[in-house]
Amino acid sequence: MREQVAALNLADVTANWVNAAVLESQIENRIKELADLTHTPLFFGRLDYLPGARRDGDQDPLGPDADTATATDAGGDGDGDDEGHRFYIGRRHVHDADGDPMVIDWRAPVSQPFYRASRKDPQGVDLRRRFGYTGGELTAYEDENLTDPMEHDRTSRLLQAEIERPRVGPMRDIVATIQPEQDEIVRSGLAGTVCVQGGPGTGKTAVGLHRVAYLLYAHRERLARTGTLVIGPNRSFLHYIEQVLPALGELAVQQATVDDLVAHVDVRGTDDATAAVVKGDARMATVLRRALRSHVTAPTEPVVVVRGSRRWRIPAYELAEIVEELQGRDMRYGAAREALPQRIAHAVLVRMEESGEAPDDRVQDAVARNPAVKAAVKTIWPPVDPAKLVLRLLSDADFLAEHADGVLTADEQRSVLWAKPARSPRSAKWSRADAVLIDEARDLVERTHSLGHVVLDEAQDLSPMQYRAVGRRCSTGSATVLGDLAQGTTPWATGSWAEALSHLGKPEALVEELTAGFRVPREVIAYASRLLPHMSPGLTEVSSVRESPGSLEIQHIADADAQVTAVVAACEESLRHEGSIGLIAADDRIPELAKALAAAGHSPIAPGEETTADSRLTLVPVSLAKGLEYDYVVLAEPAAVVAGEPDERTGLRRLYVALTRAVSGLTVVHAEPLPEQLG
């Protein structure tokens, strides 16, 4: 397929060099999409349909990329009638040299029963086959006859083996193992926003990424125009997931952190927890709006426009009516400022017409550019720099008090004021929360561009103002919100999804909950879940389907000085197993552990970096552990993890994250007493 694309001759189909450049770019992208992936099979399953099986509503059984002839050649009649034919299901649509399909894309309608068909509802499928691979070589297959009453329900060994495969390298796709409840979310429509609450190991991140892949497949032209974006908590996480969508042939999805979205100034400062909570509160949007609107002043002088020998006068009271009308429409500050000279010019044109003249649009534009009109606009509705506005709010106590009156308490106002005000935005030591305030102010001045779809992962850690920043990027589109309230580790972490979705601007979003765990062993998740009643009461405990006896080991080291040695030994023991190893510890203990590992001859890699045969050990500060996973995890000193946070609840949530990063085994090494909440 790649060779066919590369062999295309554009000489006879391009009208000019612009067409040629566009087509060449499209061909280059198509060739990249068709790149081979090492050790990745073209297909992972097969569906054998019963004769005459029909699925109502499938107008195009092979999806938007297939025509009627293709559907017929694949065994259907192009109208959803799959008469006893079989379909091979894979990550990508694959056709032969004649264009006949050999493998059907997992996102096509005809592939859906591979994930959802059951004995109770076979959906026209007689037999479902799963294929097993080792290093890209077909090594096994497993059949499930959905219509044979003599065959009993059983867990697929190949499915279980694929789920439990060692985690070497970055995150992989899960197209071969998508579960029915996950598939329902993945295939939900583009129009609606979906929020997925899922505990550790439930696959919520993978579900979100695969939903993007599905939406790009089902609504490619629309999303090609409007754009898609995946937002993660940090760069390490984005690096970890960055290969999932390209592996499915989707190369056009942008990836960013919230900090990237609001990077209008250099962030060089930090806030204490109290200030950060206040700055992240949604009430700050009201303060900013008030402060911005305060720049508009009531006209006190008339505008006199001189054209030729005539003078046209607009009195102050009429100017005030125009300003009041613009303010009442709740337009963006910048848009209203641009409209004001045109409104004044229109008032002048009305007077011209009343005097017998016949001005046109060119005259109105000329009047709008008249020096007297421009001077009046500058006085009445002056330009405002968003960064300077925020700078004044955080530096000028009187200005803040005026516009935060009745919104923020006196103590809250004092908490956000800078002790040493900066002279200019360039010299200011902005914090991350300040950058979000500037982004809010920029949107009040000029509307932020909206994308077609946004995926927001680890959403529970965002402040209300950060939710607003993300919501602006999908105000005319939809979103997939992913998170776990139990893993909220910031002082401003959201208390409920209803509250978060309201700040996002999507209060009507559908909230789904994933409670079946496929990654973390049952013994490990049960141990970590002891913390839930103390930090997130009311949340459903994850029920893991993985049984792995011996997957949890607790090592108490009586001599605190020997703890580091014991941690290194635990890492070396884990390295005897296949797969990736993560050593997680409180941030302030990372330098000491790095030194000890180096002394023992180990060169650990940083979070998010790809493991190799020689480098399978990752040293992970607990603040960067969220969203990552390793086959075996060594957790050093849980008490230090809890103590490293500003309050106990946040510390317990950070510990919960660390305890649930293991896929196959967890070793906890401690010298200090374990937190009493672990029992």
Side-chain angles (χ1 to χ4, degrees):
M1 291 170 67
R2 189 168 62 249
E3 289 172 354
Q4 287 178 333
V5 176
L8 291 175
N9 186 354
L10 303 181
D12 297 329
V13 296
T14 55
N16 51 50
W17 69 270
V18 176
N19 296 144
V22 170
L23 285 174
E24 285 177 7
S25 175
Q26 292 176 341
I27 287 175
E28 288 177 4
N29 288 336
R30 180 61 175 162
I31 291 174
K32 290 178 182 178
E33 291 173 359
L34 293 171
D36 288 331
L37 297 175
T38 306
H39 303 317
T40 300
L42 290 178
F43 60 91
F44 53 82
R46 195 184 88 189
L47 291 176
D48 292 4
Y49 277 91
L50 292 166
R54 179 183 293 274
R55 295 169 322 287
D56 294 335
D58 284 354
Q59 298 296 324
D60 191 347
L62 302 185
D65 293 333
D67 56 21
T68 302
T70 301
T72 303
D73 292 336
D77 62 3
D79 191 29
D81 192 1
D82 309 306
E83 298 181 353
H85 293 286
R86 66 180 45 153
F87 297 87
Y88 285 87
I89 311 300
R91 287 165 176 77
R92 304 293 307 279
H93 169 80
V94 182
H95 61 249
D96 61 19
D98 297 323
D100 295 330
M102 301 175 67
V103 179
I104 307 302
D105 195 299
W106 65 277
R107 298 167 287 189
V110 77
S111 303
Q112 182 172 315
F114 183 80
Y115 303 107
R116 298 200 194 179
S118 64
R119 296 191 191 286
K120 291 183 179 179
D121 180 20
Q123 300 186 19
V125 175
D126 179 33
L127 181 141
R128 173 167 51 201
R129 172 171 290 181
R130 302 181 190 274
F131 296 96
Y133 294 86
T134 302
E137 180 181 353
L138 178 62
T139 55
Y141 68 87
E142 186 178 69
D143 286 345
E144 183 181 5
N145 195 316
L146 300 180
T147 58
D148 186 352
M150 302 302 294
E151 191 169 321
H152 301 289
D153 287 324
R154 54 187 170 81
T155 301
S156 167
R157 290 176 297 171
L158 290 181
L159 183 63
Q160 193 73 15
E162 174 66 19
I163 291 174
E164 298 178 3
R165 196 150 52 97
R167 265 61 178 169
V168 178
M171 184 178 180
R172 303 187 303 261
D173 65 78
I174 61 166
V175 290
T177 62
I178 294 174
Q179 300 300 297
E181 64 272 21
Q182 295 174 328
D183 187 68
E184 186 174 347
I185 298 172
V186 167
R187 296 178 191 267
S188 55
L190 177 61
T193 290
V194 177
C195 175
V196 182
Q197 158 66 36
T202 56
K204 57 184 177 295
T205 295
V207 166
L209 294 175
H210 286 68
R211 186 180 182 216
V212 171
Y214 173 77
L215 292 176
L216 287 168
Y217 178 84
H219 308 278
R220 189 167 303 281
E221 290 187 4
R222 177 176 173 183
L223 290 178
R225 293 193 305 269
T226 56
T228 52
L229 172 67
V230 174
I231 302 174
N234 52 59
R235 280 283 151 198
S236 296
F237 178 83
L238 291 178
H239 187 65
Y240 177 64
I241 68 170
E242 66 183 357
Q243 295 303 318
V244 175
L245 290 170
L248 301 174
E250 303 299 346
L251 307 176
V253 180
Q254 304 174 60
Q255 293 187 347
T257 64
V258 174
D259 291 342
D260 294 332
L261 300 181
V262 301
H264 310 300
V265 293
D266 292 332
V267 174
R268 298 182 293 143
T270 56
D271 290 314
D272 59 39
T274 302
V277 169
V278 176
K279 289 179 179 180
D281 195 296
R283 292 174 296 163
M284 286 300 297
T286 301
V287 177
L288 286 167
R289 179 179 291 273
R290 287 182 178 182
L292 178 63
R293 292 293 179 177
S294 71
H295 288 77
V296 180
T297 58
T300 57
E301 299 289 336
V303 172
V304 179
V305 176
V306 178
R307 284 186 60 80
S309 60
R310 304 203 62 175
R311 295 160 58 89
W312 307 97
R313 183 177 183 275
I314 307 299
Y317 76 86
E318 190 171 342
L319 293 174
E321 291 175 354
I322 294 174
V323 171
E324 185 178 353
E325 190 268 335
L326 287 174
Q327 287 182 310
R329 292 184 59 186
D330 199 29
M331 300 169 64
R332 292 296 195 277
Y333 185 92
R337 186 176 187 276
E338 292 177 358
L340 180 57
Q342 290 290 336
R343 297 298 179 86
I344 296 174
H346 177 72
V348 171
L349 260 65
V350 170
R351 283 163 171 73
M352 289 181 176
E353 291 171 347
E354 290 173 346
S355 67
E357 296 189 18
D360 56 16
D361 290 345
R362 291 174 297 177
V363 175
Q364 179 169 328
D365 291 339
V367 173
R369 295 192 299 268
N370 184 276
V373 174
K374 293 171 69 174
V377 171
K378 186 175 181 180
T379 301
I380 299 169
W381 212 297
V384 176
D385 178 80
K388 289 182 179 179
L389 176 68
V390 176
L391 176 67
R392 186 179 177 190
L393 274 173
L394 301 180
S395 305
D396 187 336
D398 292 336
F399 186 67
L400 176 61
E402 177 185 356
H403 302 297
D405 182 39
V407 180
L408 301 179
T409 66
D411 288 341
E412 289 173 329
Q413 293 176 37
R414 281 191 292 270
S415 71
V416 300
L417 281 170
W418 287 341
K420 294 181 178 180
R423 293 185 176 182
S424 68
R426 188 177 296 273
S427 63
K429 291 186 177 180
W430 300 106
S431 68
R432 295 172 58 195
D434 296 336
V436 179
L437 294 179
I438 293 173
D439 188 72
E440 178 83 24
R442 285 172 63 94
D443 184 70
L444 290 172
V445 174
E446 183 177 355
R447 185 181 299 277
T448 303
H449 174 68
S450 175
L451 300 168
H453 192 78
V454 169
V455 175
L456 175 61
D457 205 352
E458 301 296 346
Q460 72 280 344
D461 274 339
L462 269 61
S463 70
M465 291 298 286
Q466 288 176 317
Y467 278 117
R468 290 174 62 88
V470 174
R472 288 191 283 276
R473 272 74 185 180
C474 57
S475 58
T476 59
S478 57
T480 302
V481 181
L482 312 166
D484 179 11
L485 296 177
Q487 296 186 56
T489 52
T490 56
W492 50 83
T494 187
S496 71
W497 289 123
E499 176 188 349
L501 293 167
S502 176
H503 293 311
L504 190 70
K506 307 291 184 183
E508 75 293 343
L510 178 66
V511 179
E512 299 278 4
E513 187 171 13
L514 296 176
T515 58
F518 304 98
R519 176 175 57 80
V520 184
R522 185 175 300 174
E523 190 175 1
V524 173
I525 195 64
Y527 183 68
S529 294
R530 296 180 183 182
L531 301 175
L532 283 177
H534 306 281
M535 62 184 198
S536 299
L539 279 187
T540 304
E541 181 179 334
V542 173
S543 177
S544 179
V545 300
R546 293 192 57 188
E547 294 186 21
S548 183
S551 57
L552 175 65
E553 181 181 358
I554 311 295
Q555 295 183 9
H556 177 236
I557 309 302
D559 184 1
D561 294 334
Q563 189 209 31
V564 173
T565 302
V567 168
V568 174
C571 291
E572 291 175 339
E573 178 62 29
S574 297
L575 285 167
R576 298 178 186 273
H577 300 284
E578 183 183 4
S580 57
I581 316 298
L583 169 55
I584 303 177
D587 290 25
D588 59 0
R589 300 203 171 193
I590 293 299
E592 179 186 14
L593 292 172
K595 184 177 179 180
L597 289 171
H602 300 286
S603 300
I605 59 178
E609 292 184 6
E610 187 169 351
T611 57
T612 65
D614 299 323
S615 301
R616 295 188 292 124
L617 174 61
T618 304
L619 182 56
V620 188
V622 71
S623 62
L624 297 180
K626 191 172 297 181
L628 306 179
E629 60 181 24
Y630 303 93
D631 285 287
Y632 292 87
V633 167
V634 176
L635 174 59
E637 205 59 80
V641 171
V642 177
E645 300 299 328
D647 60 86
E648 184 180 68
R649 189 192 74 161
T650 304
L652 292 176
R653 288 183 169 185
R654 187 75 74 182
L655 177 59
Y656 181 75
V657 171
L659 289 169
T660 54
R661 299 304 94 198
V663 174
S664 298
L666 170 66
T667 301
V668 178
V669 181
H670 70 103
E672 300 178 30
L674 290 171
E676 61 181 13
Q677 292 84 352
L678 284 175

